[in-house]
Structures are given as C-alpha cells and as structure tokens.
Amino acid sequence: MKLKQLYVLLMRLAERFQMVQLVIIFLALFTGAAKEATVVFSEAAALCIQNQYLHHGLPSPNLHMSSEDYNLVSSRNFGSEDVSPRKLKHTQGNNLRGIPGNHHGAVVLSGAASQPQNGGPSNMSFYNTPSPMASQLSGVAPPPLCRNMQPNGSNLNTVNTDGSPRSIVNSTIQAPRRKFVDEGKLRKISGRLFSDSGPRRSTRLTGDTGANTNANTAAVAGNGTNNSSKYLGSSKLSSVAPRTVTVRKGQSWVNENIEEGIRNEAFDDSCANVASTTSSSFSSDNVRSLDHDGATVLVGGVVVSGAKAVSGASEVLCLLRTLGEGYRLSCLYRCQDALDAYLRLPHRHYNTSWVLSQVGKAHFELVDYLEADLAFSLARQVSPYSLEGMDIYSTVLYHLKEDMKLSYLTQELISTDRLAPQSWCAMGNCYSLQKDHETALKIFHRAVRLNSRFAYAHTLSGHEYVALEDFENGIKSYQNALRIDSRHYNAWYGLGMIFFRQERFEFSEHHFGMALQINPCSSVIMSYLGTTLHALKKSEDAIKIMDRAILADRKNPLPMYQKANILMSLEKFDDALEVLEELKEYAPRESSVYALMGKIYKRRNMHEKAMLHFGIALDLKPSATDVATIKAAIEKLHVPDELEDNLSTE
Amino acid sequence: MATESSESEEEGKITGGNQHLIVEDDLREMGKKAAWSVSSCKTGNGVSSLRDDNLETYWQSDGAQPHLVNIQFQKKVKLQVVVLYVDFKLDESYTPSKISIRAGDGFHNLKEIKTVELVKPTGWVYLSLSGNDPRETFVNTFMLQIAVLSNHLNGRDTHVRQIKVYGPRPNPIPHQPFQFTSREFITYSTVR
C-alpha cells in the first residue's frame, strides 16, 4: 500500500524531469531486474538524482559529472548518487538494502572501476530487484532510504570538495543498513528500519566489512593525521546523518522523500559543520546513535552497522597511530617519550607481546634493566613463542647477571625456533656470561650465518672478539654491523671501546660521540665519552659530561666513579672524596670505591684513613689483581707516590 | 703490578689429582697465545697432543732427561696456575715424578720458580705459580718452561696428556685502576 503510494509519487516526479534518460538506461543495463521494476525504479532513481541536484542547486555539470562518474572510475560520486535514489527506494527495497551491503566490500575493494557498476545495481536494488549483480555492486552502499537525496546531494558537494574517500565511506556505511530481506520484514520493522537497524545479518556483516575496508581505505588514502581525522569525521558524519535521519523518518517514511531529503540535508549540513571536530567525539556520537540503532535491530544478533564500522575503523586507526608514535619515538631513542606513548594505549593493547617487547627495549635503551626485565617477561607470558626482541631480553639478563633465567630463556628460544638468529644470540650471551668467550663467539657466528643482515649478531661477535683481545676481528665485526645498520649505536660504542683500549683517543672520542648522538639517553656512553675526553686532556668537558650522565640516570654509579677518577687525576682530592662518599651510599659493597678512596687518602698522606679504606676494600673480596694492588699499596703506605706508581703498573 | 721475583726452590709433594678441571672465574687460559714446543717426541705423540683437549692422546718424549715443554709468549703475560693432566694408572712408568717450572725472558734467561714432586697422580694436577707475597700472585714473564726431571719407577720417557696455563683476566674496562665487584657497577659498566 505504502509502496504503491510511493510509486505513484515517484511517477509524478518523473514526469517533471527529463534528465533521467541516461540514468535509466545505465541502470537498466546494469541490473537484470524485471522490466517494470526497472522502469519504475529507474525513474525514481532519476528523480532522486534530480532532486538531489535540485535541492542543492547543483548545476547540470554535477549531474553530468555524476553520469560521468557512472562511466568513470570515481566511485565516490557514484556512491553518493546511488545513495539518493536508494534512499527513495528504501521503503520499497528491502532487497536493495541487502544488496548494497554485500557488494559493499566487494565493490570497494575492487576499486573505483567497479563503483559505477555499483551505483547502477544499487539503484536497481532500490527497485526491489534482488539481482545478484546489484548486490555485488553495492560497494557504494546506498544509504538508508530514509536518507534521501539531500544528504547525498550534500555528500556529493562535499565529495566534490573534499575527496572521494568520504563518499565512499558514506556509501559503504549506508550499504549495510539497506540489507533488508523481504517486504514483510520491512513492514514489520519499517519504523526501526530507519533507525538503521534490521539489515540482514549476513548482508550487514559483509557490508560492514566492506564499510570497514572502505573506511580504512578512505582513511589511509588521506595522508597525514589531518586527513585521517577529517575522513573519519566525515565518515562518521555520514553515518550519523543517515541514522538521525532514519530516526526522524522512522515515523514518517511515508512522507515525501523530498521532505526527508530536506531534513537530511539540513542535518547533514549541520553534521558537516561538526565534521571538523575530533574523531573521538564523532565516535562517541556514533556509538550513541549506534546504540540507539542497535537496540532496534531485529534481524540477526550482530549489531553491525555502517556507523559502527566507521567507529571501529577510527579506533583501529587511533590505535595504529599510537603504536606508530611509540615506535617512531623509540627509533629516535627518545625512550621516555616512547614509553609515555605506549602507556596511552588501552590496557588490552598494551598487554600484547609486540608492545611489551617495545617497552622492554625502551627501558633497555634507558639502561633500566630491571624494568626491561619485567616488561620482557610479561611479553613472554603473553606470547611465549614470539622471538622478536628476545635477543635484547637476553642482553638484559646478561647485564643483570641472571644466568639461570638466561639459560632458561635460551632453551625455550632454541626449542621454539632453531633457525632464528635471536635464539642463537641468546645462547651466545649465555656462554659469554659464563666467560666462555670462544664458544660464545662460535655461536654468534652461527647466528650471523643464519641471517647475515641481523646487525646485533655482528655486534655481539664483536664484543666477544674484544673479550678475547682480538681487536682486528672485533673492528671488522663492528664495521659489519654498522654496514647493515648505521644507527646501531652498540656497534659505534664497541668501536669506541676498541680504540680506547688501543689508546687512539681521538678515534674513540669520535665513535663514542656518534653513539651518543644516536642514543642520547644512555648514561653509560656518556661516562665513557667523559673518560675519553679526560684522556684527551679535555677535562672540563669530561666533567661536564659526567655530570650530565649522573643526572641522566641516578641509578648508574659509574659516572660518579669516573668523575672521582678524573678529579683525582686533576688533583682535586676533596671533590673526588666528596663524590666517592656519595657513591658509598649508592653501592656500599663495591671494593673499588674504597680502594680508590684509600688511594686518595694515601696521596693526601692521611695514612690511617687510607689503611682503613684499603682494609675495607680487601674485605669486599676484589679480584686477585686488585688484591695484589691493594696489598702492595698497603705495604707501601709510607713510600712516596712516585715509587709506588712505578711498582704498581696496570 | 706483580713483581718478577724468583722463588726459592720449594719442594712440595702432590698426590692424587682432580678428575675435573675447575679454575677460578677470574682466571683465563693463556696457552692459546703462546708457542708450544717440546725437547723431543715420538712420532704420532707430538706437542699437539698436549693442547688438543683430548685426554686420550698424550705427548711421549723420546730423548734424554730432563724432558722440556717450552711455552713462549709474544709479550710479557701474568701467569698464575699451571695445570697438568697425568695418570699413573694408565701410564705407570711414564708418569712424571719430579717437575720443575722455570720462567724467564728466553732460553738463556730461565730461572726456576717452582719444583714439585708428584706421587702417583691420577687426574688434573694444579701447580700454583704464586709466591707467598701477595704482590707475587702472578709471574710476569715471556717464557715458561716445564721440565720433567724424573719419572715414576725410573722410566726414561714421559707421558703428559694435557697442559693448561692460566693467568688473570684483564680488566674489562680499560684504564680503570680497579676492577668492579658489585653487581650494580658491573651492570652499568658496559653497553652490550
């Protein structure tokens, strides 16, 4: 009954307009619908299009453009155009709804070329012709019928101005909603239909995926965050608009479409104004309207609608943006900022293996090994078979001297994947921790053979060569690592250390400087740079860098120790003693601190204090060499320093 | 740091031997950087059997006593312990009995630093090169010579299955006066 009324209305409208011929023919070509339906619907479609243009005062070029669009590849315009006619037919075409949704995904994915086709069939679907073609073509999902041409018109406008993604998104969003199966159901849920519910579950699902992909492609197409937010906003806009329209129209879908169109248009415009707001607000709007819509879904249990797809897409993009931000910052070695970025992730995304490994890596770069250990062990709990980042974890355990954990990790990694370089790096670290440098070297070579582009394996074999005092091969290995990855600051550091040992201090300063440039937050590199500068007699710079290192990481006792060393050689004994006193608090069981203090007291000729400190140093069980040194120092307490130094050569 | 004092002859008897080779963590094997030679050997039982980490193979001398094993380094190194693997049960009259360790700059300059008598050893025998003085923990030398002066049961030739020489590890951080002992210091001492 209602359908008939609509038919009549449409016919009347069709009489007034003549531009529909092209459209009708096109639609007829695309859809294999029944003749009468074709005729009627084509007219109605033409009507819609013309109304659309009418309302927006679009000059014929628009229509021309739209017809061109049909022929051209630009799916966007097509989408919007399809929307309008479809909207008109919304009441009639349950099938129409079904069709667009399905084809949504197919069409969008297949690209613009298919769009025109989509437009056609979708329009046809309007006309209650459940032709498979039509459904397949609904890449540009026609918006809910309640949403008349007006929004389409505005969409078209915006499409013309903004870009295709939006219209694509619009159409895709709307497609799922149009998937009503049969007229009976349509009547039953007509009121709710317009509230954007009721699409058949399968169609909704397919349409949703299509919408998702559409939205994603739309967002992706827009380079840069501005674009994405804009597109998201626009997509949301479109999703919101139809919904609200549908709601409004729910009550009066019998009314003339033009009126609805007007309302839609108005709403759409207002929505367009809001489009500039952030996506989050949109998503919340969407969510709200989605909920409203979702509540009225009769068909199927999945509340999948275009708007929800859009909000989902925007959430995904938000998530990806945060992840990318964190990764970018950690590549820049701005580790604290990277950690903050990762913390902004929602909880269940934070607790994934990749994110946790990245967090662990960031802590590792900050020389915060305990936190890194925590993060990595969480990552292993979450995903015990992931190998990425596990080489860094093995290094963390090496630094913490946790040989049992390290060997356990190695066993697990080897049993997970025997051919991954990370597992062998872990094993090499294990042997290196046991001071078996030759075996460790062999294993790192194995890791290199497994993947010669794995820079860290080269760096680690360089470390082993240095431990074996084979500096030539060490330099070669570090240079290999740098050839693969010139931002691998460990290799720069390794080269700096070799040159430092060889007393080529200028080279060493350059390399430490490069390492520090890449990773400016590592206090260890800073302290080594300081000692190098001191060796180059640039002691003021050395002290400055030491202070920087001390500030950078208060838990690192080394810069203070080195600073005391420098001060002692500069003969600023009091300052040195001050620093060492502070250091005593940090590391009370470090014999070298007491040994150094004893040495300083000896230089100041405060023999009792020197004796005391040497005694404490000995009690703390230093290495055999140091025992010898300290005992010698004790015995020579009353001998002038020159003689002492001659005897106690390093 | 360690002085090159020549120890007075110290007679010590060592019995038994360890089945397992266990050395302290702060020692490392120095033999790889040295040139090894022997005074005489039987074909097939040459000096390489001393360094092949295989306890089945042995060096068999083939000349007059004393039989010498010479270890020459390219630079002066600090040595702390010499470890031999000898087995009376397997070698009986070939097992060395009296061993003298000499150190110096070269063949012309060797001075005995330790003498020891083995009594039916079976396994790894540790010979420490340190003196009593704590400053003399190490022997700082270019060359080490291990002389087998006599064998068990007055055997003429000798079998030695393996010899290892240990010295202290260098400071992992160069140009540091003292090595670090506590975990906090060691953790932050290097970037890996």
Side-chain angles (χ1 to χ4, degrees):
Chain A
M1 308 58 63
K2 289 180 183 175
L3 288 173
K4 270 201 175 165
Q5 287 172 355
L6 193 54
Y7 277 51
V8 166
L9 167 69
L10 288 172
M11 295 291 273
R12 258 189 262 130
L13 287 172
E15 286 166 11
R16 292 186 234 155
F17 304 97
Q18 274 111 32
M19 293 199 292
V20 294
Q21 298 305 315
L22 271 171
V23 171
I24 292 167
I25 294 167
F26 197 78
L27 290 173
L29 280 173
F30 275 105
T31 59
K35 248 192 181 174
E36 44 194 12
T38 316
V39 169
V40 174
F41 282 102
S42 61
E43 286 180 355
L47 257 174
C48 285
I49 293 163
Q50 294 197 354
N51 281 337
Q52 175 183 9
Y53 292 126
L54 255 186
H55 281 279
H56 294 276
L58 289 173
S60 40
N62 278 340
L63 184 60
H64 179 62
M65 204 170 68
S66 57
S67 48
E68 276 176 3
D69 288 339
Y70 280 99
N71 302 320
L72 291 174
V73 184
S74 77
S75 45
R76 316 161 191 173
N77 293 327
F78 209 75
S80 49
E81 283 173 353
D82 293 338
V83 165
S84 44
R86 279 182 228 131
K87 278 190 176 170
L88 276 177
K89 311 311 165 198
H90 178 78
T91 54
Q92 303 161 9
N94 297 329
N95 300 332
L96 305 178
R97 290 205 186 185
I99 300 164
N102 282 326
H103 305 304
H104 239 268
V107 173
V108 175
L109 289 172
S110 49
S114 55
Q115 283 298 346
Q117 298 185 353
N118 291 340
S122 16
N123 283 337
M124 296 319 289
S125 59
F126 247 161
Y127 305 97
N128 261 330
T129 55
S131 58
M133 248 175 40
S135 53
Q136 279 141 20
L137 295 174
S138 65
V140 179
L145 288 175
C146 47
R147 190 171 171 214
N148 278 336
M149 307 176 292
Q150 301 309 339
N152 293 330
S154 60
N155 284 342
L156 191 64
N157 272 337
T158 47
V159 164
N160 295 336
T161 51
D162 287 352
S164 43
R166 188 161 170 241
S167 49
I168 296 177
V169 170
N170 287 341
S171 40
T172 52
I173 292 162
Q174 289 134 9
R177 271 180 262 138
R178 291 201 55 228
K179 299 201 185 158
F180 291 92
V181 186
D182 52 27
E183 294 188 20
K185 264 195 180 165
L186 169 67
R187 248 174 289 138
K188 186 169 146 198
I189 57 178
S190 62
R192 297 129 177 216
L193 270 181
F194 290 100
S195 51
D196 192 28
S197 59
R200 208 188 238 162
R201 182 168 185 272
S202 55
T203 54
R204 224 187 301 133
L205 284 173
T206 48
D208 187 49
T209 50
N212 274 330
T213 51
N214 278 341
N216 282 335
T217 49
V220 167
N223 298 321
T225 53
N226 290 337
N227 283 343
S228 58
S229 54
K230 180 177 74 175
Y231 290 137
L232 285 171
S234 60
S235 62
K236 285 186 188 149
L237 159 65
S238 50
S239 54
V240 166
R243 241 176 290 119
T244 48
V245 170
T246 54
V247 169
R248 269 183 278 155
K249 288 200 174 173
Q251 280 63 30
S252 59
W253 65 272
V254 213
N255 299 340
E256 289 199 1
N257 291 333
I258 295 174
E259 287 178 29
E260 296 171 353
I262 295 170
R263 257 179 289 165
N264 286 340
E265 179 187 352
F267 187 80
D268 212 15
D269 287 340
S270 61
C271 283
N273 294 334
V274 191
S276 54
T277 59
T278 58
S279 359
S280 52
S281 61
F282 268 109
S283 51
S284 58
D285 292 336
N286 281 340
V287 168
R288 266 183 273 121
S289 38
L290 266 173
D291 291 339
H292 176 87
D293 297 333
T296 57
V297 172
L298 281 187
V299 185
V302 178
V303 185
V304 168
S305 62
K308 197 157 191 187
V310 171
S311 73
S314 62
E315 273 181 43
V316 168
L317 286 163
C318 265
L319 174 69
L320 286 173
R321 180 141 45 117
T322 317
L323 289 173
E325 188 68 22
Y327 187 68
R328 178 183 78 95
L329 288 168
S330 65
C331 283
L332 289 172
Y333 290 100
R334 283 164 54 183
C335 303
Q336 201 48 56
D337 300 333
L339 287 170
D340 296 333
Y342 286 125
L343 280 173
R344 276 189 268 127
L345 285 171
H347 217 60
R348 66 193 168 90
H349 288 296
Y350 187 79
N351 285 327
T352 52
S353 136
W354 187 84
V355 175
L356 285 169
S357 320
Q358 294 298 315
V359 168
K361 188 161 180 288
H363 280 296
F364 168 74
E365 310 291 352
L366 282 172
V367 200
D368 188 358
Y369 298 128
L370 293 164
E371 284 292 330
D373 182 14
L374 205 62
F376 275 120
S377 54
L378 272 176
R380 281 204 70 74
Q381 267 174 27
V382 166
S383 159
Y385 298 105
S386 148
L387 285 172
E388 189 182 315
M390 286 306 136
D391 48 338
I392 306 277
Y393 187 27
S394 69
T395 307
V396 169
L397 291 175
Y398 171 93
H399 276 288
L400 291 172
K401 298 226 167 304
E402 302 252 17
D403 41 6
M404 201 163 77
K405 269 196 195 175
L406 181 53
S407 54
Y408 185 60
L409 173 74
T410 307
Q411 296 291 336
E412 286 194 320
L413 289 177
I414 296 277
S415 62
T416 303
D417 185 358
R418 263 191 110 244
L419 297 177
Q422 289 94 345
S423 335
W424 292 103
C425 283
M427 184 178 268
N429 269 331
C430 200
Y431 277 100
S432 184
L433 190 58
Q434 310 294 332
K435 307 266 191 245
D436 187 355
H437 295 294
E438 283 147 18
T439 319
L441 187 61
K442 266 189 242 159
I443 291 175
F444 288 131
H445 280 153
R446 210 179 277 188
V448 166
R449 273 208 299 276
L450 280 171
N451 179 2
S452 61
R453 304 286 307 169
F454 192 60
Y456 200 43
H458 286 282
T459 309
L460 287 171
S461 37
H463 289 316
E464 293 309 313
Y465 275 123
V466 169
L468 291 169
E469 301 197 334
D470 184 355
F471 296 130
E472 246 186 72
N473 280 321
I475 292 181
K476 272 192 219 146
S477 298
Y478 287 132
Q479 282 171 347
N480 280 337
L482 284 176
R483 217 172 290 138
I484 295 171
D485 177 9
S486 64
R487 277 184 66 81
H488 199 218
Y489 75 93
N490 308 61
W492 286 109
Y493 163 85
L495 281 170
M497 282 299 276
I498 289 184
F499 294 127
F500 190 61
R501 273 179 208 271
Q502 293 178 332
E503 308 213 349
R504 286 146 81 173
F505 293 120
E506 295 83 13
F507 284 106
S508 134
E509 183 198 346
H510 166 74
H511 287 93
F512 282 134
M514 290 295 297
L516 195 61
Q517 209 178 33
I518 297 172
N519 181 0
C521 56
S522 168
S523 53
V524 181
I525 301 178
M526 280 192 245
S527 72
Y528 277 106
L529 185 55
T531 28
T532 317
L533 287 170
H534 174 64
L536 284 170
K537 311 276 179 229
K538 297 183 197 165
S539 302
E540 292 78 31
D541 298 330
I543 303 256
K544 273 196 219 125
I545 292 209
M546 286 308 183
D547 288 330
R548 247 182 79 193
I550 294 173
L551 280 174
D553 185 2
R554 298 235 49 119
K555 283 188 278 177
N556 185 356
L558 219 69
M560 285 195 260
Y561 186 80
Q562 306 282 17
K563 186 178 169 189
N565 240 336
I566 297 172
L567 287 169
M568 194 187 107
S569 57
L570 289 175
E571 313 238 335
K572 295 185 185 161
F573 295 124
D574 295 318
D575 301 330
L577 282 171
E578 220 178 280
V579 174
L580 285 172
E581 289 286 337
E582 208 186 318
L583 195 50
K584 262 203 292 190
E585 307 297 317
Y586 279 105
R589 306 201 61 82
E590 175 58 45
S591 87
S592 55
V593 174
Y594 292 100
L596 191 60
M597 289 180 81
K599 215 166 147 185
I600 297 177
Y601 281 126
K602 191 169 160 315
R603 290 284 286 271
R604 300 279 292 304
N605 284 324
M606 294 161 72
H607 295 297
E608 296 79 25
K609 283 211 142 178
M611 192 65 204
L612 171 69
H613 284 97
F614 280 138
I616 301 175
L618 281 174
D619 285 335
L620 290 172
K621 296 201 206 316
S623 71
T625 19
D626 289 350
V627 170
T629 323
I630 296 169
K631 286 193 176 164
I634 292 176
E635 294 213 354
K636 303 267 192 285
L637 259 181
H638 297 279
V639 173
D641 283 324
E642 304 84 63
L643 262 176
E644 161 76 30
D645 285 335
N646 283 340
L647 286 168
S648 58
T649 47
E650 312 263 40
Chain B
M1 182 178 52
T3 53
E4 275 190 85
S5 67
S6 57
E7 276 310 277
S8 54
E9 274 81 308
E10 210 176 42
E11 288 272 349
K13 290 198 193 286
I14 299 180
T15 48
N18 292 321
Q19 277 310 110
H20 303 285
L21 179 62
I22 302 167
V23 283
E24 284 163 23
D25 231 5
D26 58 351
L27 292 176
R28 62 179 175 132
E29 227 262 304
M30 310 283 295
K32 287 228 160 68
K33 285 187 251 164
W36 293 70
S37 58
V38 287
S39 58
S40 60
C41 72
K42 183 175 154 219
T43 341
N45 298 86
V47 68
S48 50
S49 317
L50 277 177
R51 300 291 302 159
D52 58 358
D53 281 324
N54 188 350
L55 299 175
E56 310 292 325
T57 60
Y58 52 80
W59 162 60
Q60 177 170 333
S61 64
D62 192 25
Q65 284 177 354
H67 307 296
L68 308 167
V69 179
N70 307 305
I71 308 166
Q72 287 165 292
F73 296 92
Q74 277 196 321
K75 51 180 181 167
K76 261 195 179 173
V77 292
K78 294 199 186 90
L79 303 171
Q80 193 173 351
V81 169
V82 173
V83 191
L84 301 164
Y85 190 91
V86 284
D87 197 342
F88 180 75
K89 285 194 221 102
L90 292 175
D91 297 324
E92 291 176 356
S93 67
Y94 283 94
T95 316
S97 160
K98 235 179 167 183
I99 295 181
S100 158
I101 300 183
R102 300 123 183 219
D105 294 333
F107 285 102
H108 59 282
N109 205 358
L110 293 172
K111 241 173 159 184
E112 190 174 277
I113 51 172
K114 195 168 180 100
T115 314
V116 74
E117 195 177 322
L118 308 177
V119 179
K120 299 210 176 129
T122 49
W124 293 99
V125 176
Y126 295 86
L127 306 173
S128 165
L129 302 173
S130 324
N132 287 332
D133 203 333
R135 280 171 289 156
E136 289 160 8
T137 328
F138 312 108
V139 167
N140 207 6
T141 174
F142 274 104
M143 176 170 172
L144 203 69
Q145 188 180 68
I146 302 170
V148 179
L149 303 174
S150 66
N151 293 318
H152 279 77
L153 307 174
N154 281 323
R156 190 182 80 125
D157 289 323
T158 183
H159 280 177
V160 179
R161 292 176 179 262
Q162 199 73 358
I163 300 182
K164 287 191 189 285
V165 181
Y166 286 93
R169 286 185 194 277
N171 196 339
I173 303 120
H175 297 276
Q176 277 276 47
F178 302 103
Q179 290 189 25
F180 296 135
T181 55
S182 68
R183 199 160 114 173
E184 298 90 8
F185 269 74
I186 294 174
T187 307
Y188 288 103
S189 59
T190 55
V191 169
R192 193 166 169 85

